[in-house]
Amino acid sequence: MQKLFSFRFSQNIWRILPDQDPASNLWAIELRSGEEKKVSFAVIDAAIPAIKWEGTPAGTDWWTAVTAFSYKHLFLHNYRYPDIPEPTDLLMVDGENGEMQWVLPNYLLVKTLSTTEIEVATKAGDQFRYMRCKADTGLLNHDNEIGEPQAEEIILREPIRYKEGNKYFEQLASFITDVTGGKQPMAIDYLEKRPYMMFSYYIYEQEKIAEYLLIITDKKEFILHEKLSEGRDGTGQSTMLLRGDNLVFLRNNNEFTGLTLYC
């Protein structure tokens, strides 16, 4: 196991996405500060490792959110009407430098089709129209509409959440308690990549919730066991992700860390 990187931000990490290019080591991060109503974005190159850029691109605001990251194209959705939870506009930011490249009003991203094209949709009455769009320029191909979208290729593995009432919860909770000698978890996120088993689990500490990360082999050899956060009011979502041999996870909601798991 090798430590890849660890970066701490002043804002909370809201969402992380890897570049869909299999050869890329870039990760996009959405950052938010609820008190200041501030949103910003960053791209990390895990191969160096280094932060390529961090900031708030022109044309974005509190309601802007990351929707995809593909071949250095960072796609964002704007929400012009905050009371309506539907994206209204599609934006593309250059993943290399954080500069806004184009805005496509009244369109949303469906999926990426290739290194140069994406599929977008716009409402026509009660229906959606789907068409191709150039990723670099935002130019639409009105003569080449396409049918209903197909499922996207999965490049990330997210953990399965186990809570009381699930038939596997007690078995996993007992396993964690036995190997760590700690308290009984109240929720468990689980991923596996043989021979590794990865647990992000939550326990009560002083009437609050703490999150721990446990990585262990199927021979019960400890790889990592550490507290990721404490003083929580609830559990998180997708606080660890697996892409290939790389496991990424969050510490204290604002530190982004990655490990390589050698099989």
Side-chain angles (χ1 to χ4, degrees):
M1 183 184 70
Q2 176 185 350
K3 184 174 181 179
L4 277 180
F5 53 81
S6 184
F7 295 103
R8 185 176 297 163
F9 297 91
S10 60
Q11 297 168 268
N12 286 335
I13 296 173
W14 193 260
R15 192 178 187 192
I16 54 178
L17 282 179
D19 190 343
Q20 290 180 346
D21 180 358
S24 174
N25 285 296
L26 299 181
W27 289 80
I29 301 179
E30 180 180 326
L31 301 158
R32 291 184 178 270
S33 173
E35 293 181 359
E36 302 174 8
K37 289 288 184 179
K38 179 182 177 182
V39 64
S40 59
F41 307 91
V43 167
I44 287 174
D45 189 338
I48 298 176
I51 299 176
K52 292 184 71 67
W53 60 270
E54 179 185 353
T56 304
T60 62
D61 59 29
W62 173 250
W63 306 106
T64 306
V66 170
T67 187
F69 189 31
S70 178
Y71 294 88
K72 299 179 181 178
H73 303 105
L74 180 58
F75 297 104
L76 310 174
H77 276 153
N78 261 356
Y79 293 75
R80 268 183 274 151
Y81 313 109
D83 294 336
I84 304 175
E86 293 181 1
T88 53
D89 312 298
L90 178 61
L91 302 75
M92 195 279 279
V93 171
D94 189 333
E96 287 281 358
N97 55 32
E99 295 182 1
M100 183 67 65
Q101 300 301 300
W102 51 260
V103 178
L104 198 58
N106 303 314
Y107 281 83
L108 57 88
L109 177 71
V110 178
K111 67 175 181 177
T112 58
L113 298 172
S114 67
T115 60
T116 60
E117 280 193 316
I118 59 175
E119 181 179 345
V120 298
T122 187
K123 269 207 171 173
D126 294 331
Q127 304 294 321
F128 277 99
R129 292 173 57 209
Y130 300 91
M131 61 188 69
R132 295 176 184 268
C133 175
K134 292 293 184 183
D136 285 337
T137 63
L139 292 177
L140 295 167
N141 188 342
H142 292 280
D143 298 325
N144 193 8
E145 293 190 25
I146 52 184
E148 290 292 324
Q150 303 297 315
E152 291 188 58
E153 180 184 359
I154 297 175
I155 61 171
L156 275 182
R157 287 181 57 198
E158 298 191 37
I160 299 173
R161 170 66 56 88
Y162 295 93
K163 301 176 70 174
E164 288 189 13
N166 182 283
K167 62 180 180 179
Y168 299 112
F169 174 78
E170 292 298 333
Q171 180 181 352
L172 290 173
S174 295
F175 177 81
I176 292 172
T177 302
D178 289 344
V179 298
T180 65
K183 296 180 180 179
Q184 170 92 359
M186 44 87 70
I188 303 167
D189 290 339
Y190 177 69
L191 272 170
E192 70 175 40
K193 182 179 177 66
R194 294 298 179 180
Y196 302 100
M197 296 179 288
M198 293 154 273
F199 304 86
S200 170
Y201 67 92
Y202 300 85
I203 63 174
Y204 285 108
E205 289 184 350
Q206 298 178 351
E207 299 183 354
K208 289 286 188 176
I209 297 172
E211 179 191 7
Y212 286 80
L213 177 67
L214 170 66
I215 304 176
I216 194 170
T217 69
D218 51 14
K219 295 181 180 179
K220 295 187 178 181
E221 298 169 329
F222 277 75
I223 304 299
L224 183 69
H225 186 216
E226 68 170 270
K227 183 185 291 187
L228 297 184
S229 62
E230 61 185 353
R232 304 175 61 104
D233 292 321
T235 59
Q237 291 185 336
S238 299
T239 50
M240 63 175 177
L241 299 168
L242 185 66
R243 186 191 188 194
D245 294 330
N246 294 326
L247 179 74
V248 299
F249 56 92
L250 304 183
R251 289 194 187 105
N252 298 315
N253 298 322
N254 70 341
E255 187 175 351
F256 184 46
T257 303
L259 300 171
T260 297
L261 300 169
Y262 294 109
C263 298

